């Protein structure tokens, strides 16, 4: 086995995609999203990615980085994907990783893996413990009938797509950002979410390759933003991906979230998508109730695992390599 730095070249992104596809065909990689993520890393972020080769052939990828979502000081996110025929490399790669992360002195490592992936078994055997679980779920629009759920909007409220709103103006963006921050604070999670600063959010959310202003819906009372749901383009065929859905506390239990989701589903149908995907924390009963009523079907859970303290291997990395390339 050889481990070499990932070059952040077009060829290496293709290598990454091929390995990831072989490792988890049910969960294809979002290459455009990954490249955008890599490009929008902020100063001070750690990002080290490697390609694992056997007999000159790429059979795995491995990385450690500042968590993209929810960055916390001292926490590094680790991820690896191995071709199923080379799963036995997990042990040596774990040794490699411990050597490499030692200079960063992280107080915790974390990763998100599906409960049915081999990584779950291996990492829990190394002492990683579950922090929380999310369900990805899918709505098949070919079998979706919205009519039993449709209700008139509460008086005084409207739903509009971002494309009909001044979303490129900073004043509007600041209102939207404030709404998202407020709603993120209300998402029931095991730990509070650390939001991105405004400028990072602008770059990542509003300039992301998957933004679809026509499929991003905002609920308004006059000009006051009170709720939202958002569909993004997806790398999966015939699919749109849901981002955050939320309604301000002052406006809950009036059918607004359901109305937003129905409006988004109608958009998806007209857009020509067959599937809508979403992801929800297992403790988010209110949101799960809405998605269950709509007919979303759950997949195996994705589990956030954490290891703390981190057993660091002092000394040199187990495998060669000097300074690593950056995106
Ligand atoms: C989840 C959330 C968006 C629901 O918004 P809402 O506008 O209050 O939801 P609706 O009024 O459309 O609810 C529709 C149905 O969902 C179910 N529901 C909604 N909130 C519920 C709750 N707190 N507990 C149980 N069921 C709930 C009910 O069946 C409800 O119908 P009913 O009011 O006739 O009983 C809102 O609670 C919220 O913003 N939460 C914080 C952000 C969040 O967690 N977003 C999801 C992250 S992916």
């Amino acid at each position: 086995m050889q481990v070499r730095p990932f070059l952040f070249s077009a060829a290496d992104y293709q290598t990454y995609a091929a390995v990831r596809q072989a490792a988890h065909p049910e969960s294809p990689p979002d290459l455009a999203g990954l490249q955008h993520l890599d490009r929008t890393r902020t100063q001070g972020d750690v990002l080290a990615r490697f390609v694992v080769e056997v007999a000159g052939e790429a059979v795995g990828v491995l990385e450690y980085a500042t968590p993209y979502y929810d960055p916390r000081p001292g926490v590094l996110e680790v991820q690896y994907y191995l071709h199923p025929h080379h799963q036995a490399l997990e042990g040596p790669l774990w040794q490699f990783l411990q050597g490499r992360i030692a200079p960063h002195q992280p107080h915790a490592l974390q990763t998100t893996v599906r409960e049915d992936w081999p990584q779950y078994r291996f990492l829990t055997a190394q002492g990683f413990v579950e922090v929380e679980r999310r369900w990805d779920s899918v709505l098949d629009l070919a079998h979706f009938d919205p009519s039993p759920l449709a209700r008139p909007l509460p008086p005084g409220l409207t739903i509009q797509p971002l494309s009909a709103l001044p979303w490129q103006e900073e004043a509007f963006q600041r209102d939207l950002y404030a709404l998202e921050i407020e709603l993120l604070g209300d998402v029931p999670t095991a730990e509070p979410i650390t939001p991105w600063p405004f400028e990072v959010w602008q770059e990542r959310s509003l300039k992301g390759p998957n933004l679809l202003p026509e499929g991003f819906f905002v609920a308004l009372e006059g000009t006051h933003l009170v709720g939202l749901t958002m569909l993004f383009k997806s790398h999966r065929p015939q699919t749109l991906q849901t981002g955050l859905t939320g309604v301000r506390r002052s406006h809950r239990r009036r059918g607004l979230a359901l109305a937003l989701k129905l409006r988004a589903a109608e958009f998806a149908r007209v857009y020509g998508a067959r599937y809508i995907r979403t992801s929800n924390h297992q403790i988010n009963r209110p949101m799960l109730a809405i998605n269950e009523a709509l007919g979303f079907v759950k997949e195996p859970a994705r589990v956030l695992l954490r290891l703390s303290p981190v057993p660091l291997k002092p000394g040199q990395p187990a495998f060669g390599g000097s300074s690593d390339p950056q995106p």
Side-chain angles (χ1 to χ4, degrees):
M1 174 178 85
Q2 288 211 315
V3 183
R4 66 161 176 87
F6 183 85
L7 299 177
F8 296 94
S9 61
D12 264 5
Y13 278 107
Q14 289 306 325
T15 301
Y16 182 98
V19 167
R20 173 74 200 261
Q21 180 71 29
H24 304 299
E26 74 291 352
S27 172
D30 174 9
L31 217 47
L34 178 69
Q35 284 173 291
H36 183 68
L37 182 167
D38 288 348
R39 276 195 302 271
T40 57
R41 282 285 175 187
T42 53
Q43 219 181 3
D45 268 13
V46 174
L47 173 57
R49 188 175 297 149
F50 305 89
V51 178
V52 184
E53 296 178 334
V54 170
E57 200 174 312
V59 300
V61 287
L62 164 78
E63 77 177 53
Y64 58 86
T66 304
Y68 177 54
Y69 294 108
D70 212 8
R72 287 160 203 272
V75 179
L76 285 179
E77 183 137 33
V78 299
Q79 264 176 355
Y80 64 87
Y81 303 107
L82 280 168
H83 191 285
H85 294 158
H86 296 276
Q87 207 61 44
L89 296 177
E90 280 176 311
L93 283 178
W94 176 235
Q95 298 279 319
F96 169 74
L97 191 73
Q98 285 173 293
R100 278 305 184 114
I101 57 176
H104 298 283
Q105 297 287 309
H107 65 71
L109 298 182
Q110 68 181 38
T111 189
T112 299
V113 296
R114 247 173 63 154
E115 61 184 336
D116 56 340
W117 286 359
Q119 291 94 316
Y120 178 85
R121 255 190 337 271
F122 179 80
L123 292 170
T124 49
Q126 309 314 311
F128 279 74
V129 292
E130 287 199 20
V131 179
E132 64 186 346
R133 289 180 162 234
R134 300 176 69 106
W135 271 309
D136 285 358
S137 55
V138 191
L139 179 66
D140 182 349
L141 292 169
H143 306 289
F144 175 58
D145 175 12
S147 43
L149 297 168
R151 305 270 183 285
L153 271 182
L157 297 176
T158 58
I159 292 179
Q160 298 194 46
L162 214 50
S163 53
L165 295 163
W167 69 277
Q168 275 142 328
E169 289 173 17
E170 183 168 331
F172 180 85
Q173 291 178 355
R174 292 218 175 251
D175 283 352
L176 184 61
Y177 177 72
L179 174 65
E180 287 196 23
I181 298 299
E182 181 178 324
L183 297 174
L184 280 175
D186 278 357
V187 177
T189 49
E191 296 163 347
I193 296 171
T194 315
W196 296 328
F198 175 73
E199 289 72 20
V200 175
W201 170 84
Q202 246 183 340
E203 194 65 34
R204 288 185 175 162
S205 292
L206 299 182
K207 295 186 188 158
N210 296 327
L211 181 74
L212 197 49
E214 301 77 18
F216 187 130
F217 293 97
V218 182
L220 298 104
E221 190 166 52
T223 55
H224 181 52
L225 316 188
V226 296
L228 49 67
T229 191
M230 49 188 91
L231 291 178
F232 292 100
K233 291 181 221 161
S234 170
H235 56 291
R236 294 176 186 256
Q238 295 183 274
T239 301
L240 292 175
Q241 174 69 44
T242 312
L244 178 66
T245 300
V247 170
R248 284 196 208 269
R249 285 180 190 199
S250 51
H251 289 72
R252 287 191 193 151
R253 295 313 282 265
R254 294 163 66 186
L256 204 44
L258 185 58
L260 281 159
K261 298 277 292 192
L262 288 173
R263 179 74 182 269
E266 173 58 12
F267 166 80
R269 193 187 61 76
V270 173
Y271 186 77
R274 163 119 192 225
Y275 304 104
I276 298 178
R277 294 182 66 84
T278 193
S279 178
N280 304 116
H281 291 89
Q282 279 190 0
I283 55 171
N284 196 344
R285 244 309 107 205
M287 197 67 241
L288 285 167
I290 293 174
N291 287 334
E292 285 159 7
L294 288 164
F296 278 83
V297 176
K298 298 181 184 73
E299 294 183 343
R302 281 192 295 129
V303 189
L304 174 63
L305 295 174
R306 187 166 300 142
L307 178 67
S308 181
V310 183
L312 297 171
K313 290 248 182 286
Q316 290 305 304
F319 297 84
S322 47
S323 62
D324 298 324
Q326 293 293 309

